[in-house]
Amino acid sequence: MIKAGSPEDMGRMMVRLDTDKVRPMDDSSPIRDLPKYGRPLVCVNGIYGKAAAWSHSYGLMEWLDVSGTYHLGWAQSASIKRVSVEDWKGSSGL
């Protein structure tokens, strides 16, 4: 678990700020953040992560790659599939 105010937490906040700057331009609807705890488990094109936020047409997904690096990325809502706990293959470090 990452504690608030830790270097990992600060790094994740910086990634979020950078991701908000590259938000898809064809969607001007408001961004709604999901609560930090209990975020839905999702899969996009074989990448397993958690849904962090959404807008009308896109979802923001967070995931850790095999090296443990944190990523955030926007995906079209149609490509985001909710995954059950049993089928999820993501990192427990999120």
Side-chain angles (χ1 to χ4, degrees):
M1 174 181 230
I2 294 177
K3 295 181 181 179
S6 69
E8 294 88 0
D9 193 41
M10 290 298 295
R12 289 183 180 194
M13 286 190 312
M14 296 307 293
V15 170
R16 175 63 191 261
L17 290 172
D18 291 342
T19 304
D20 286 346
K21 292 177 190 173
V22 296
R23 179 179 175 205
M25 298 303 288
D26 63 338
D27 184 8
S28 60
S29 62
I31 297 172
R32 294 185 171 94
D33 289 315
L34 290 159
K36 185 174 183 175
Y37 300 101
R39 290 180 173 170
L41 303 175
V42 296
C43 180
V44 177
N45 298 326
I47 299 173
Y48 290 85
K50 293 183 179 181
W54 80 96
S55 68
H56 179 70
S57 303
Y58 293 90
L60 183 63
M61 179 178 148
E62 63 178 356
W63 73 95
L64 296 175
D65 64 19
V66 293
S67 69
T69 303
Y70 180 76
H71 298 275
L72 276 170
W74 290 101
Q76 290 184 334
S77 57
S79 67
I80 301 171
K81 306 298 178 208
R82 197 160 186 165
V83 181
S84 69
V85 174
E86 296 81 26
D87 294 331
W88 194 66
K89 300 173 187 167
S91 173
S92 62
L94 283 176

